[in-house]
Amino acid sequence: MLTEPQRERINVVLVSPRNPLNIGAVARAMANFGFTRMRVVNPYEPHWREARSAVGAPELLKGAQETASLAEAIRDCSLVLGTGTLTHRKAEQPVVPLDKLAPLVTESLGRGERIALVFGSEKHGLTREDLSYCHVLVEIPTDAQQPSMNLGQAAAVCLYDLATRSGPSITGSGIAEDRLDPASKTANASKPSPTSDNLDILSSLIEEVMVAAKYSPHTMQGANRHDLRLILRRMNLNAADSRRALGLFRRILRRLRIPQS
């Protein structure tokens, strides 16, 4: 079982939820398994904190953070877990079955990192843009005849798995090893990972370099930005390497901006 300090480092993030009753159901599931950190991104209803379905968790709802964007909600997290099924999407990041998630979470908690478990709206789940901020897509196994789950139920299933299968007792091979190549795994196993905000800063700087170098037309900048977010998260940089990369691209940008005689 996860300890209380470990559960405090796991944030449940709801992106554009539409129904306050579903938000309350998620809060109740969080309380059932000892999680307290909720972040709500751009909720559809302004009075979502008053959901009567949050039985046993009204204080959790009152203390939840509301943000205008997913980037803001996950800025301090070093492992961002998107959730969903593969029924109507082609994943652009590693896919982790829910029952194989524990080693990856345990490894991240062992480095003292914050984790975000992200759920999309009831209408369409996480968008392609949302998922570009995620290190992995956690696949919740469901029957092909009814692949989508109620938001509260999906949260309960995931939180039960995290609470009971992650922690110091989890050992052996698993997705934590599969996510990295052997050399990268050895180098990064005990080193802290950059936060999502750190990666976004690096991504923005690389984009500036690309613009200064006239890498691609203006119409491609949105696609480049999306691809950069994905690439940096798939690279599994440690925090020190992300700082080195930041310094490298700053020097390149300065040189590009020096007027040519």
Side-chain angles (χ1 to χ4, degrees):
M1 292 287 289
L2 292 178
T3 65
E4 182 176 349
Q6 288 173 326
R7 293 194 299 268
E8 288 290 304
R9 294 206 301 275
I10 296 177
N11 302 274
V12 175
V13 180
L14 308 182
V15 180
S16 302
R18 300 179 65 84
N19 190 334
L21 293 177
N22 287 331
I23 301 175
V26 173
R28 181 175 183 175
M30 290 174 64
N32 286 148
F33 300 110
F35 296 93
T36 60
R37 305 282 184 175
M38 175 185 281
R39 297 175 181 180
V40 181
V41 180
N42 192 26
Y44 186 77
E45 290 287 347
H47 305 297
W48 57 272
R49 294 182 192 272
E50 302 169 10
R52 288 179 292 179
S53 53
V55 179
E59 295 303 316
L60 191 155
L61 272 189
K62 290 179 182 178
Q65 299 177 24
E66 181 175 341
T67 66
S69 68
L70 176 57
E72 182 183 354
I74 61 173
R75 64 189 309 273
D76 60 345
C77 297
S78 298
L79 176 61
V80 181
L81 309 169
T83 60
T85 71
L86 297 177
T87 306
H88 302 297
R89 64 165 56 95
K90 182 179 180 181
E92 298 177 285
Q93 54 282 109
V95 177
V96 184
L98 180 58
D99 63 350
K100 303 295 184 184
L101 183 60
L104 183 58
V105 170
T106 299
E107 184 180 286
S108 182
L109 289 172
R111 293 192 295 263
E113 298 169 355
R114 290 192 178 277
I115 297 171
L117 180 64
V118 186
F119 297 90
S121 76
E122 303 92 323
K123 190 173 183 179
H124 50 63
L126 293 174
T127 66
R128 182 171 179 262
E129 180 77 1
D130 296 332
L131 286 170
S132 70
Y133 287 93
C134 301
H135 293 86
V136 299
L137 171 63
V138 181
E139 183 183 14
I140 305 173
T142 54
D143 190 276
Q145 299 299 315
Q146 181 55 43
S148 65
M149 294 183 71
N150 172 271
L151 178 58
Q153 293 172 333
V157 169
C158 291
L159 293 173
Y160 168 79
D161 196 271
L162 286 182
T164 59
R165 294 170 59 88
S166 305
S169 62
I170 302 298
T171 57
S173 63
I175 192 64
E177 286 79 7
D178 295 341
R179 186 175 168 230
L180 303 170
D181 63 77
S184 179
K185 171 68 178 175
T186 301
N188 291 325
S190 61
K191 297 180 180 179
S193 304
T195 64
S196 186
D197 190 49
N198 293 150
L199 292 179
D200 286 341
I201 291 170
L202 177 57
S203 178
S204 295
L205 177 60
I206 296 174
E207 185 179 354
E208 284 189 67
V209 171
M210 293 166 70
V211 170
K214 298 181 173 57
Y215 174 82
S216 62
H218 179 77
T219 54
M220 289 296 296
Q221 287 182 16
N224 290 337
R225 189 176 303 120
H226 175 273
D227 290 346
L228 277 172
R229 279 200 298 267
L230 280 169
I231 290 168
L232 289 175
R233 284 158 176 81
R234 287 198 298 243
M235 288 177 68
N236 298 297
L237 297 171
N238 62 48
D241 285 342
S242 73
R243 290 193 296 271
R244 293 187 188 99
L246 199 65
L248 171 71
F249 282 101
R250 280 173 176 159
R251 288 194 292 274
I252 293 172
L253 185 59
R254 283 198 295 269
R255 292 300 297 269
L256 286 170
R257 287 176 172 171
I258 294 174
Q260 299 298 313
S261 57

